[in-house]
Amino acid sequence: MYHINFENPCHVYFIGIGGISMSGLAEVLMKEGFTVSGSDSKESPLTDHLSSLGAVIFYDQSISHIPQGTDVVVYTAAIHPEHPEIVDATKRNIPLLTRAELLGQLMRNYKTAINIAGTHGKTTTTSMVTEILLAANTDPTISVGGILPTIGGNIRVGGSNLFVTEACEYTNSFLSFYPTMEVILNIEADHLDFFKDIDDIRHSFRLFMEKLPKDGILVINGDIHNLSELINGLDCEIITVGHGESCDYRASNISYNEFAQASFDVTDASNTTLGHIQLSVPGEHNVYNALASVALCKKLNLSMDAIVSGLLNFHGTQRRFEKKGVVNGITIIDDYAHHPQEITATLTAAKKYPHKKIWCIFQPHTYTRTKALLTDFAKALSLADEVVLAKIYPARETDDLGISSDNIRVLLEQAGTSAHYFETFEEIEKFILQHAASGDLVITMGAGDVVKIGEDLISK
């Protein structure tokens, strides 16, 4: 594998440089003195930003633009092996790295490399940790999977001591990483188009834990099913967070304000109260995202004052219980939740948020996930008063499994929850305007483009 060394900058070419993750990695390399060029299907604010920093970017992907003197080519999993630039790089014997492999190589250049993993909660927890590190006046380099207003995007290029990133399990990407500290928030059945089952997922997470060196730190959710099976025999230090009395960090005296934002005491295994936390994001799930952040940052020897300040300053990232606006007295919220457990967490938080009736406009993400978790989706969505279902967002898949959002509607109605299915966003918008009332809460939910519905409602 080609090694990236900050002491020896080279020329890196990115295929798909405009992606949110790829653009961030390109910016890190440019800050370190690397020459960066690349291609993408279209111009965007992200590519414009890279161009302003000096990157050379091409937008015709029907031919290869790889310059002479390119040392390594980076590509994403979405790039087909027959892509002209993959073919060209192979013919010219230019080394190839996947995005995950490049991210792993970057980590090797930092004294401390923190990986935040789990089926859900990664973006929020990475953002919480970022706020704490900034409050503590450290100079971290950050790669987050969403837009965090505090850093003005998804990337912050800092010093070479501390690197923080999300670590995604899909296609075993995180097994290309070199962490010195890990946070594992949860392990649930997901990405079943790649993994065989939950045991296969747990096996990959175990391999990820084994990436830690002997002096590494693992912060892990103590509530994970059969945790001992996962962590037995690890050489690193293990810190647990969660509900159990045996956990090293617990949340006690949890209460909520009128916007479902929690406050709680942080308690250690000896029942000593370490400090009081007030969150500016809603839901019990964020209590435990915050608790994992506290455990990690205490291990970095950061003060409770910085931890308290950082968590209070975190007001969320885009598409995580993000208030989009109000139309006809109806509050519009958008959320990225696309897994049953995420949906449950979001709708549970919504119940504590001011509302008369909760409307959930849900867009399932991928046919395989919808089919595998069909009954779980119906159970989670039943927490809403009214459910409106959009067509499945296919992402990387084709419609060949005989599954539809209407299958969820049938299960919901059988269970007594009012549910509706529409083929188009326009039909959904018209239905909401006709039936939702002032004081209601409408949540657009999913990992696809369902956010457009709320934005259209507000613009109209």
Side-chain angles (χ1 to χ4, degrees):
M1 184 182 295
Y2 189 88
H3 293 288
I4 297 292
N5 183 354
F6 285 1
E7 299 299 320
N8 184 27
C10 62
H11 186 162
V12 183
Y13 187 90
F14 288 81
I15 305 174
I17 195 168
I20 191 166
S21 177
M22 291 281 270
S23 62
L25 300 181
E27 186 171 345
V28 172
L29 290 176
M30 294 179 76
K31 174 70 180 298
E32 295 295 334
F34 286 68
T35 300
V36 168
S37 57
S39 64
D40 210 287
S41 59
K42 61 182 182 298
E43 191 174 355
S44 70
L46 290 173
T47 58
D48 289 344
H49 175 64
L50 291 174
S51 295
S52 73
L53 297 177
V56 177
I57 302 176
F58 306 93
Y59 296 102
D60 177 8
Q61 289 194 308
S62 64
I63 59 174
S64 176
H65 301 279
I66 301 173
Q68 293 297 321
T70 296
D71 295 291
V72 61
V73 171
V74 182
Y75 65 100
T76 67
I79 300 299
H80 195 274
E82 295 178 2
H83 188 285
E85 291 180 325
I86 294 288
V87 173
D88 184 33
T90 303
K91 285 182 179 178
R92 292 163 58 184
N93 293 317
I94 301 174
L96 290 161
L97 290 177
T98 65
R99 182 204 65 84
E101 288 169 342
L102 172 64
L103 185 51
Q105 288 297 314
L106 289 184
M107 291 177 200
R108 302 180 75 173
N109 291 274
Y110 292 86
K111 180 180 178 181
T112 301
I114 299 169
N115 287 191
I116 297 177
T119 311
H120 32 261
K122 295 184 289 293
T123 296
T124 294
T125 306
T126 303
S127 300
M128 286 178 168
V129 170
T130 297
E131 296 284 5
I132 295 169
L133 293 173
L134 295 177
N137 295 315
T138 63
D139 187 26
T141 295
I142 305 289
S143 175
V144 62
I147 302 301
L148 179 61
T150 302
I151 61 175
N154 69 306
I155 197 78
R156 182 189 188 274
V157 183
S160 59
N161 284 330
L162 189 58
F163 182 80
V164 184
T165 186
E166 296 180 33
C168 182
E169 73 275 16
Y170 185 56
T171 68
N172 282 329
S173 292
F174 60 6
L175 299 187
S176 296
F177 296 172
Y178 296 90
T180 62
M181 301 179 77
E182 291 179 1
V183 175
I184 297 180
L185 300 164
N186 36 67
I187 303 175
E188 304 289 342
D190 198 12
H191 299 304
L192 296 174
D193 58 326
F194 176 77
F195 294 109
K196 296 175 185 176
D197 50 31
I198 185 62
D199 290 334
D200 191 22
I201 297 169
R202 286 169 64 90
H203 174 68
S204 287
F205 271 93
R206 169 66 191 210
L207 293 177
F208 177 57
M209 296 176 209
E210 292 174 357
K211 301 283 292 185
L212 285 166
K214 288 185 178 181
D215 60 349
I217 307 294
L218 171 64
V219 176
I220 191 165
N221 181 355
D223 301 325
I224 290 174
H225 175 68
N226 202 358
L227 180 63
S228 60
E229 176 188 76
L230 283 168
I231 63 177
N232 279 347
L234 291 175
D235 293 329
C236 62
E237 180 181 352
I238 300 169
I239 300 169
T240 56
V241 301
H243 294 81
E245 289 296 318
S246 62
C247 288
D248 297 304
Y249 288 81
R250 301 188 306 277
S252 58
N253 301 320
I254 302 172
S255 62
Y256 297 89
N257 65 17
E258 66 272 25
F259 296 107
Q261 298 161 346
S263 62
F264 61 95
D265 293 328
V266 177
T267 307
D268 66 14
S270 65
N271 285 323
T272 299
T273 299
L274 304 180
H276 183 76
I277 303 294
Q278 171 66 60
L279 297 181
S280 300
V281 287
E284 182 184 24
H285 60 295
N286 278 321
V287 171
Y288 292 94
N289 290 335
L291 199 61
S293 304
V294 172
L296 173 74
C297 291
K298 287 293 289 181
K299 201 61 192 177
L300 291 170
N301 296 316
L302 302 184
S303 70
M304 278 305 299
D305 285 345
I307 292 170
V308 169
S309 175
L311 289 173
L312 181 62
N313 192 54
F314 175 63
H315 293 272
T317 57
Q318 287 186 7
R319 302 225 59 214
R320 271 72 178 180
F321 212 90
E322 179 189 6
K323 184 176 179 179
K324 304 296 288 187
V326 178
V327 57
N328 297 341
I330 304 162
T331 300
I332 309 291
I333 299 286
D334 180 61
D335 197 273
Y336 191 71
H338 57 285
H339 182 278
Q341 191 160 344
E342 295 169 345
I343 295 167
T344 299
T346 298
L347 292 178
T348 300
K351 285 182 175 295
K352 296 185 175 71
Y353 196 88
H355 69 277
K356 290 182 178 178
K357 180 184 284 189
I358 296 173
W359 296 75
C360 180
I361 304 173
F362 180 59
Q363 179 188 47
H365 191 263
T366 74
Y367 301 103
T368 51
R369 181 184 285 116
T370 306
K371 186 171 185 177
L373 304 175
L374 187 65
T375 56
D376 293 328
F377 277 123
K379 182 179 179 181
L381 289 166
S382 68
L383 292 170
D385 298 305
E386 298 271 357
V387 178
V388 179
L389 293 152
K391 289 178 66 174
I392 295 171
Y393 188 84
R396 53 193 171 267
E397 297 181 349
T398 55
D399 184 5
D400 56 6
L401 294 179
I403 195 74
S404 162
S405 297
D406 199 49
N407 296 110
I408 302 176
R409 180 195 62 79
V410 171
L411 290 177
L412 282 165
E413 291 198 335
Q414 287 175 350
T417 300
S418 179
H420 319 270
Y421 168 63
F422 297 101
E423 289 281 323
T424 67
F425 284 1
E426 290 78 12
E427 291 174 287
I428 292 174
E429 292 164 19
K430 182 178 179 181
F431 181 82
I432 290 295
L433 289 172
Q434 288 176 344
H435 294 88
S438 179
D440 286 355
L441 180 65
V442 172
I443 305 176
T444 56
M445 188 180 290
D449 56 355
V450 68
V451 60
K452 293 178 181 177
I453 292 175
E455 291 173 345
D456 285 347
L457 287 171
I458 292 166
S459 68
K460 290 176 180 177

